[in-house]
Amino acid sequence: FFFHSLQAKMSRPVQARRLEGVDKNIWVEFVKLAATYSKVNLGQGFPDFPAPDFLREALMGALSGGNHMLHQYTRAFGHPPLVKVLAQFFEKLLGRDLDPMTNVMVTVGAYQALFCCFQALVDEGDEVIIIEPFFDCYEPMVKMAGGTPVFVPLRPNPPKDGKLMSSADWQLDPAELASKFSERTKAIVLNSPNNPLGKVFSRGELGLIAELCVKHDVLCISDEVYEWLVYDGKQHIRIASLQGMWERTVIIGSAGKTFSATGWKVGWVVGPDRLLQHLRTVHQNSVYHCATIAQEAVAQGFQRELMLYGKPESYFVQLPKELQQKRDWLVQSLDGVGMKPIIPEGTYFLVADISPFKSDVPDVPNSDEPYDSRFAKWMVKNKGLAAIPLSAFYSEAHKNNYTNFIRFCFAKEEATLKAASDILQKWKQEKTS
Amino acid sequence: MFLASRNFCCRGIKLRTDLLSRSIKHSTSATMPFRHKNTRRIEGLDSNVWVEFTKVAADPSIVNLGQGLPDISPPSYVKEELAKVAAVDRLNQYTRGFGHPSLVKALSQVYEKVCGRKIDPLTDILVTVGAYGSLFSTIQALIEEGDEVIIIEPFYDCYEPMVKMAGAKPVFIPLRCKKDGNSASSADWVLDPAELANKFNSKTKAIILNTPHNPIGKVFTLEELQVIADLCIKHDTLCISDEVYEWLVYKGNKHIKIATLPGMWERTVTIGSAGKTYSVTGWKLGWSIGPEHLIKHLQVVHQNTLYTCPTPLQEALAQAFWTDYKRMDDPECYFYSLSRELESKRDRMAQLLKGAGLKPVIPDGGYFMIVDVSTLNVDLSDVDEKLPYDYKFVKWMIASKKLSAIPLSAFCALETKKHFEKYIRFCFIKKDSTLDAAEVILKNWNKQ
C-alpha cells in the first residue's frame, strides 16, 4: 500500500498545476538573442540614456545622509514619504481626496502590481477581458490566478489617403467589445498608453469601456505605466476619473517608466480601499516589503515634480518632448527604407510593417513559429538589429493574425537610433542592388 | 444578491433619457451590493501580527526589541558599494530576470565553498525580493491544493498563510522543551521523532525547516537533521530550508545545511537573505538555491510575478559578496565578525533579563531570544480574556515599561498558542545605546 502511494506521488509532476501553460516567456529567448547578436538593441523596453540627474542625486543623497535606517525595512505597504507624495500627486490628477495609507500601495515594479491585482481579484472561473495586442504578462497572470482570458482585438482602419497609420487608427469595435462581457466577466485590463502600439485611448473610447464596466459591474485594471509619454499635444485620460469608475478601478504606475530607471523596480497601485485592501493581503503574503532606499529616492523625485508640475523644467514635460523627437526620427528612418511605421500617440514603442523586407526571410509553411518571430530572429542574427515580433503580444490563437509587424523601442540615445538607421539604409541598398 | 442588482440595472436601462440613466448609474453604484470580494486564495489571510506591533514600535519613546530589524549600521563597505553603483548608468535599467549575473556568480562561489558541490549560477539559483519572496516562489511553484506541508512550531509567521494561499494544508508539529518547562538553552527544544514520523503521509509534499530557528534560536544538530532527512527520503518529500540566519551561530555550534546530507540535494530548496547576512533588511534581496529540476519552477513563478529584482542593489550585493568570499578563511570576514558581535550582545541581553527576574532561553543562533515571563507573575486576568497571556503581557510591558517585544504565540497555530503563551521574543541586533536604554528599564523593573 505504502509503495503504491509513493509511486503515485513520484508519477505526479513536482510542480504545481498553476504553472501549467505559463512557463514559456518570449523575453527569456529574445533578451538572450539580443545579448548574443545585436549591435543595436531596439528590442526590450528600457532606455539606454541615463536616468535623470536629480534621481541619481536623490539616491546618493539618501546614501550619504547618515540615516542608515534607510537600509532597513520600511512600512510594508509603502515607504511613508513615497505614498504621501503619490497621494498628493494623484489627488491633483484625479480631482479627489486620497489617503496615502489606504488608497496607495507600493509594489516591486508595475509587474508586481499587476500580479497583486490578479491574485487578489481573479478567482477560478472568472473571465478577464484583455485587449490585443497586449503586454504579454497579462495572459499568464490571469491563467495563474485560475482565470480565463477573453481577447478582443484592436482592429486597424488604415487612412484612405495612403498616409502612414497612426496608433489612433487601431480601434475596438464597440459591438464586438460589448459581446465579450458575460456574467463571468470579473475585470477588463486596460493599457493606455498601449504597449506595443502606442495607442492613447480617447475619452470616447474610454467612455465606451467605462459604460460596459458599470453596466456589467466589472472591475478595471488600468495599466498606465506610460502615462507621461504622450505626444502631439494629446492628453492621457485616466479612466478612474470617469463616472462610476473610481470605485471599480485599480490604477497601476511605474517609477521605472516615469523616471527612466527600469532597474529600480518601484511601482504602485492607486484605488479605493475596498479593492486595495485585498491587494495588501496578497502583498503581505508574497513580498511584504519593497526596497527602502529606492522608494526614498523615488519619493524625492516626485517631490521635485510636484513643485515643477506643468513647468517647462518638469521631467514630465521634458521627457515626452525628447521622446517625441526620437519617435519622429525613427519614423523617418523606417519610412525612408520602406518599412511602414504606425505612428504611436504615446509610449516609447512603435510598430512597423516590414513587408518590403520579407523576401529575405522566406515563409516556411506549416511552421509552428509565427512569421514575424522568425523574421525578428533572422534580423538580429544577420543584421544585428534587435526588435520584438508583434505576435509576442497576441494570444496563442491569434499569433498569426498579423505576419508583418515588429516592435521597436525608441527610448534610445541619438547614436543608437543613428546606428539603427545605418543598418536599415545598408540593408535597403543591398536589396535594391 | 447579485441577481437583485442585475434586475435593478435592467429596469434602469429601459428608460431612455440621458439624465435619468446617468442618475441611475449613480444610484446603482451607490446601492448595488459590492460583489467584488477577495479571492478564495486569500480568505482569512488578511490579518498580520506585524501590522499591529510595528505601529506600536513607531513610537520613539518605546525601546523597540520587537521586530527583527537591526538598528546597527550595515558595514561601511556595503554602503559604499551601493554608492559606487548609483553612478553607473546602465545599472539603473533591467537586469537578468532570474538574478543579476555578477550576483548569481558570487552566490554560486560562496555556496560552492560552503556546500562542497558545484552550483550552476544560471540554473541552480533564483534571486528574489528577500527570503520572503523565495518562500513565496518556492511554495507557489511546488505546493498546491491536496498537498500537506509540515511546519515546525513555533514558526516564522508567514509560513502558514503562504501554504494556505497555495491551497494546501499546514500540518503542525511543536518543538517541545525536554527539560519539563525549565529551559535555559535553545538546544532544550526538540522534536519528538515518533511524533514527527506520524505527521508524514502520502499527501506530505514538503516540510519547512528553519535553522537557525526564529524565534527560539535553535541550531538543528546533524542528528536532528538526519531524522528529518530520513523521513523526507522515505516519503519522497521536499524540504524547504529557511537558513536566513546561517552565519549567526554562536560558540560551540555549527550551522549544517540539510541539502548537504545524502539524498537531500535533489529534494531541497535552501533559502538565504542579504538582509540578514549584511544587516540590510531594507534591500529586500534573497535567494533560493537548489537542483535545476526544482529551481526552474521557482523561475517560472518569478517570471510571472515580478520578473526582475532591482539592479543596483543586486550589483552592490555582488560586490560585497566578492569582498567576503575572498576572506572566507579569515576571521575578519563579515560572516564571522557579525556573529561575534552579536554573541556579546546576546550575553549582555541575557544577563540583563535575568537581573530583572525573567528567564531567558539562550539561543545557539539567530538574533532573537525567547524569555519566560511567567516568573514575574504579573496578574493580567482583568485584561481582555480572549488574548493569550503573552499578548497581554507585551501590551502591558509596552504601556507600563516602554519596552516592546513580540508574543511567542504569534508564531504558533491556534491550537498550540496555550503551550507557548508564557514566552515573549526579544531581538538583540541592536546598537549599544538601545541596549543601554533596555538596561535602564530592566534594572528598574521591580522598582515600579
Side-chain angles (χ1 to χ4, degrees), chain B residues 336-348:
Chain B
Y336 320 130
S337 66
L338 177 63
S339 184
R340 287 194 302 275
E341 192 186 330
L342 287 175
E343 186 160 351
S344 55
K345 290 184 193 285
R346 176 196 73 165
D347 295 342
R348 183 182 174 193

Side-chain angles (χ1 to χ4, degrees), chain A residues 69-266:
Chain A
M69 291 311 283
L70 286 174
H71 295 282
Q72 307 307 334
Y73 294 130
T74 183
R75 177 178 169 269
F77 303 131
H79 189 50
L82 180 54
V83 292
K84 289 202 178 101
V85 72
L86 284 170
Q88 281 178 286
F89 223 97
F90 282 90
E91 269 179 353
K92 263 172 106 85
L93 298 171
L94 295 169
R96 65 163 56 231
D97 284 334
L98 294 177
D99 178 349
M101 301 293 133
T102 58
N103 296 133
V104 183
M105 185 179 82
V106 176
T107 56
V108 181
Y111 214 96
Q112 196 231 337
L114 286 160
F115 179 74
C116 286
C117 284
F118 295 118
Q119 289 285 310
L121 305 168
V122 176
D123 249 324
E124 198 150 331
D126 286 342
E127 288 179 5
V128 178
I129 298 173
I130 297 174
I131 300 167
E132 289 182 303
F134 56 92
F135 179 57
D136 69 297
C137 81
Y138 304 156
E139 183 183 4
M141 283 194 185
V142 167
K143 285 179 161 163
M144 195 170 151
T148 306
V150 170
F151 300 100
V152 63
L154 285 162
R155 293 182 185 282
N157 298 306
K160 306 257 185 329
D161 52 9
K163 278 217 189 81
L164 287 174
M165 263 203 284
S166 150
S167 55
D169 297 322
W170 286 65
Q171 291 148 3
L172 292 169
D173 176 320
E176 187 176 18
L177 177 63
S179 74
K180 302 292 178 176
F181 282 76
S182 80
E183 279 150 14
R184 286 173 305 281
T185 311
K186 190 69 196 283
I188 178 168
V189 184
L190 173 68
N191 176 219
S192 180
N194 165 282
N195 171 13
L197 285 173
K199 178 182 178 62
V200 173
F201 283 70
S202 67
R203 188 173 289 279
E205 289 172 314
L206 295 175
L208 193 70
I209 295 169
E211 214 179 287
L212 286 162
C213 284
V214 172
K215 174 177 174 179
H216 295 274
D217 189 21
V218 161
L219 300 175
C220 181
I221 297 169
S222 187
D223 177 352
E224 302 184 20
V225 297
Y226 300 104
E227 57 190 314
W228 301 109
L229 306 184
V230 283
Y231 312 123
D232 310 316
K234 281 229 153 75
Q235 216 208 345
H236 168 65
I237 298 160
R238 293 176 173 81
I239 196 169
S241 62
L242 270 59
Q243 178 111 46
M245 289 307 287
W246 165 255
E247 60 238 44
R248 61 184 65 257
T249 305
V250 178
I251 309 170
I252 294 170
S254 156
K257 309 294 189 278
T258 296
F259 291 112
S260 311
T262 60
W264 286 30
K265 291 292 292 188
V266 174

Side-chain angles (χ1 to χ4, degrees), chain B residues 379-424:
Chain B
D379 183 5
L380 298 166
S381 48
D382 55 339
V383 182
D384 184 355
E385 281 291 300
K386 286 187 246 88
L387 284 180
Y389 182 80
D390 53 356
Y391 267 82
K392 294 195 278 192
F393 186 93
V394 169
K395 287 192 165 175
W396 166 82
M397 188 174 73
I398 289 171
S400 61
K401 303 293 180 190
K402 297 288 192 189
L403 180 66
S404 79
I406 303 291
L408 202 68
S409 53
F411 303 97
C412 303
L414 208 55
E415 302 76 38
T416 338
K417 283 190 199 290
K418 283 262 161 244
H419 299 291
F420 293 98
E421 66 175 340
K422 65 178 188 175
Y423 294 100
I424 65 177

Side-chain angles (χ1 to χ4, degrees), chain A residues 8 39 52 133 137 159 203 283 320 328 356 375 393:
Chain A
K39 299 193 191 70
C137 81
R203 188 173 289 279
H283 184 77
D328 295 342
F375 183 92
F393 306 96

Side-chain angles (χ1 to χ4, degrees), chain A residues 89 92-93 228 304-311 314 316:
Chain A
F89 223 97
K92 263 172 106 85
L93 298 171
W228 301 109
R304 173 200 196 261
E305 287 302 303
L306 192 63
M307 283 199 302
L308 294 173
Y309 187 72
K311 300 207 169 76
S314 156
F316 299 167

Side-chain angles (χ1 to χ4, degrees), chain B residues 58-99:
Chain B
D59 177 349
S61 72
I62 294 173
V63 178
N64 185 7
L65 301 185
Q67 193 187 4
L69 86 170
D71 66 3
I72 61 173
S73 173
S76 38
Y77 64 94
V78 171
K79 292 187 285 182
E80 273 151 31
E81 291 301 346
L82 188 55
K84 276 192 236 160
V85 156
V88 180
D89 285 339
R90 72 181 162 76
L91 293 175
N92 289 313
Q93 307 305 333
Y94 291 132
T95 183
R96 176 176 169 269
F98 304 140

Side-chain angles (χ1 to χ4, degrees), chain A residues 9 14 72 145 217 263 265, chain B residues 35 41 92 205 235 281 306:
Chain A
K9 187 193 272 183
V14 69
Q72 307 307 334
D217 189 21
K265 291 292 292 188
Chain B
R35 68 169 172 122
R41 68 179 61 85
N92 289 313
K205 189 70 190 280
H235 295 270
T281 59
L306 49 98

